């Protein structure tokens, strides 16, 4: 079927729309309806997306949207007229192949994929002109509980992502973010509406009277029916451009321990929610050394930066007398208030607040530079607890690179706390970086008062935590598998939530111990009995937590064994993951396979409070689409490399004078990007053959010419000395690109992560010869490399 994407003077909306009014455009996505039911600690959510083809040709609509980062997505279906077609969970590559084949055959098909824990893609092929199709997605989630409040969050829009790295091609993908084009949907221009709106209904059954229902983000309509409360969006607040944040309290002094179980042929599953009573005295507060890390990139321009500054002033003035502190801010460059921790004196507080007030927001979100600066900051003196406090919107595409850096280099005893500032922050990054950093995360809207947020933070950070938590099984049979696999430290007013599975379903006791403030021993025992069928959501959440735990082991690169484990878990528990996908296909051919069709990415709203100018520089009327921005980046890189080949070393000012622009968030190429190129170039040398320390031993799936081409490409790498052994990868090649690089950890004899990661990045940038790539099918290559440096 011939497919085309028409062009238009405004590339930010994919060049395709129907104008219905002076400021409103008609796109395929018409409406999203959300229905959530909350019982106790759990929510079951149904999301229905209504697509309609406003064009005169058959349409493929591709929509990038968010969901909660720990949602267990286990159901998808499409509805055409009165007919419902249930989606089936498949391996992702298999689901993609089924979808593409159905599209070519003229069948209507839906494909639901996960790009990040909180970013998803819905593709819908062969929508007839004028036809309406509903896509329904269902998921289970566990509510957040802190300080007496339950919190239900539904994200509505994917915020713009800063994409660092060296471009692979003109798609927008880079060696650091090889799927950038899949997480950067086009943005609707300012002062323009898409016609897409959203409705939300949340039904809460708390088991007890519910009070203090409120939202910091939306206008609400609240209805009571006994102990059931229904909450709906106000009619004036239906633009999907900000996260819905709903908080409420249940009528009791404190949440008691809750045990939920479920049993089926997969085993006995359980969830435990409990809050230990942690009493503390002021003289037990340990002096802190606090390093504040502030995002001052372009996406923070306007209200977000002002909110960060306001919050920082409260943080500085809320420190204890014996605390020390400093401030590091990052964008294109990283600067700091001082090179060592400052005593908490009136003079230093004044100096810090003056520094905060002078900060401006512009440039790219080079979070890695800021993270490295704070992790390399001089160590805190003995007896002080180093606390790192990150303030950012999290709008980056290279999350795994950041998480790997924290995971590998955060010193024992240090804590990393994250504050997401904005209406639609990257909760996946903010939540995960705090978990890995053994701290807490908190989201504050750009228009939310800061006093309570700051006070709650200091109450948490000052209070002793429950540490050294141990989980022991007292009973017969196998030991339950629990997640998190390593129990985190526990902060005051924040519950510990454990998900577990005992495959043999034999009852027994789970004994939990820990060390509380002042060295006191804490212990509690929970009886587990799997006789009843129980709540099926518990099994799904255990599966989701297992996937999360496995994915946390692959921040640097993917490994074959863990990818297989994630895939197996997704298929067993019918869960969406980065390696499984839902696909639904109509039985009948519904459009002419030989006729013309249109394929378009559905444009989305800009997140509320985010500055177009801060993201796109001065190009507000027609902000460049990610593809166009990345073409500029390709030109930048090629220009720099060509000049260096001639022996000319470029600074950022020289590049700027040449008229080349940055790859995202406006502005010119900066020193950080030049440094990135220099770092990449330091690994490049003139290709050799037999005497090169990196040799291709075998490449099953490639012909001789492709092997020679790959060998020449890899021999540009300059490896560190002292390495000896073999590295085995599995490559997935499709459409002229290496789409996935999996390390075979069992066959690999070299353990240096940085070297493996370096080779992985090089493989992602390999321009695959036509003989090694198929137009529709994937080609799997088993690659063995020998290193002798």
């Amino acid at each position: 079927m011939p497919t085309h994407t028409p062009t238009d003077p405004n590339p930010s909306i994919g060049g395709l729309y129907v104008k219905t009014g002076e400021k409103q455009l008609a796109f395929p996505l018409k409406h999203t309806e959300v229905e959530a039911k909350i019982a106790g600690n759990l929510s079951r959510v149904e999301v229905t997306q209504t697509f309609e083809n406003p064009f005169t040709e058959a349409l493929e609509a591709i929509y990038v949207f968010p969901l909660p980062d720990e949602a267990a997505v286990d159901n998808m279906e499409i509805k055409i007229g009165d007919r419902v077609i249930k989606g089936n969970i498949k391996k992702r590559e298999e689901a993609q192949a089924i979808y593409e084949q159905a599209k070519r055959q003229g069948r209507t098909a839906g494909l639901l994929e996960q790009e990040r824990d909180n970013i998803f893609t819905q593709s819908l092929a062969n929508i007839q002109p004028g036809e309406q199709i509903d896509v329904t997605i269902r998921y289970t989630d566990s509510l957040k509980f802190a300080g007496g409040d339950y919190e239900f969050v539904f994200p509505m829009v994917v915020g713009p992502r800063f994409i660092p790295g060296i471009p692979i091609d003109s798609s927008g993908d880079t060696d650091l973010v090889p799927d950038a084009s899949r997480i950067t949907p086009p943005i609707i221009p300012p002062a323009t509406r898409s016609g897409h709106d959203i409705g939300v209904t949340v039904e809460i059954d708390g088991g007890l009277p519910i009070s203090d229902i409120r939202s910091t983000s939306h206008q609400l309509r609240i209805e009571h029916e006994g102990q059931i409360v229904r909450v709906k969006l106000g009619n004036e607040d239906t633009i999907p451009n900000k996260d819905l944040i709903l908080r409420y309290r249940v009528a009791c002094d404190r949440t008691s321990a809750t045990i939920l179980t479920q049993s089926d042929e997969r085993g006995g599953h359980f969830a435990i929610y409990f809050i230990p009573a942690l009493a503390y005295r002021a003289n037990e507060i340990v002096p802190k050394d606090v390093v504040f890390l502030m995002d001052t990139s372009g996406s923070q321009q306007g209200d977000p930066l002002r909110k960060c500054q306001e919050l920082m002033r409260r943080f500085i003035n809320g420190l204890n007398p014996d605390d020390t502190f400093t401030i590091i801010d990052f964008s294109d460059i990283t600067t700091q208030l001082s090179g060592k921790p400052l005593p908490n004196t009136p003079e230093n507080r004044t100096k810090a607040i003056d520094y905060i007030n002078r900060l401006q927001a512009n440039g790219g979100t080079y979070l890695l530079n800021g993270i490295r600066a704070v992790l390399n900051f001089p160590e805190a003196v003995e007896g002080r607890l180093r606390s790192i406090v990150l303030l950012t919107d999290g709008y980056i595409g290279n999350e795994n690179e950041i998480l790997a850096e924290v995971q590998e280099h955060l010193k024992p005893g240090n804590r990393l706390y994250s504050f997401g500032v904005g209406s639609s922050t990257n909760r996946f990054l903010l939540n995960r970086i705090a978990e890995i950093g053994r701290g807490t995360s908190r989201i504050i809207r750009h228009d939310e008062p800061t006093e309570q947020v700051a006070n709650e933070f200091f109450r948490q950070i000052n209070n002793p935590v429950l540490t050294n938590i141990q989980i022991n099984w007292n009973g017969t049979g196998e030991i339950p598998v629990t997640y998190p696999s390593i129990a985190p430290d526990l902060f005051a007013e924040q519950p510990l939530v454990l998900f577990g599975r005992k495959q043999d379903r034999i009852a027994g006791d789970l004994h939990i111990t820990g060390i509380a403030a002042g060295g006191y021993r804490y212990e509690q025992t929970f009886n587990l009995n799997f006789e009843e069928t129980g709540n099926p959501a518990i099994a799904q959440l255990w599966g989701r937590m297992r996937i999360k735990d496995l994915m946390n082991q692959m921040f640097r690169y993917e490994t074959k064994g863990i990818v297989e484990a994630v895939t197996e878990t997704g298929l067993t528990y019918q869960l969406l993951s980065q390696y499984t996908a839902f696909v639904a296909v109509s039985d009948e051919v519904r459009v002419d396979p030989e006729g013309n069709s249109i394929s378009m990415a559905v444009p989305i709203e800009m997140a509320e409070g985010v500055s177009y100018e801060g993201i796109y520089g001065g190009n507000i009327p027609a902000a460049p689409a990610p593809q166009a921005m990345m073409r500029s980046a390709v030109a930048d890189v090629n220009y720099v490399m060509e000049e260096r080949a001639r022996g000319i070393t470029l600074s950022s000012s020289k590049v700027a004078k040449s008229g080349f622009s940055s790859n995202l968030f406006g502005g010119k190429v900066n020193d950080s990007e030049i440094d990135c190129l220099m770092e990449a170039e330091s690994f490049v040398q003139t290709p050799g053959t037999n005497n090169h320390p990196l040799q291709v031993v075998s490449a099953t799936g490639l012909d001789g010419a492709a092997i020679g081409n790959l060998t020449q490409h890899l021999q540009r790498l300059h490896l560190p000395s002292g390495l000896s052994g073999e590295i085995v990868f599995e490559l997935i090649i499709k459409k002229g690109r290496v789409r996935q690089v999996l390390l075979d950890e069992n066959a690999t004899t070299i353990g240096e992560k940085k070297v493996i990661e370096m080779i992985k990045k090089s493989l992602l940038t390999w321009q695959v010869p036509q003989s090694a790539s198929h137009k529709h099918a994937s080609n799997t290559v088993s690659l063995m490399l020998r290193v002798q440096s």
Side-chain angles (χ1 to χ4, degrees), residues 199 250 271 369 395 489 677 696:
V250 175
N369 292 347
Y395 287 158
D489 290 344
L677 291 173
V696 176

Side-chain angles (χ1 to χ4, degrees), residues 493-506:
E493 300 185 332
Q494 191 173 49
L496 175 62
V497 183
L498 292 175
F499 292 94
R501 181 181 75 169
K502 195 169 190 293
Q503 200 158 6
D504 60 15
R505 292 177 280 183
I506 298 175

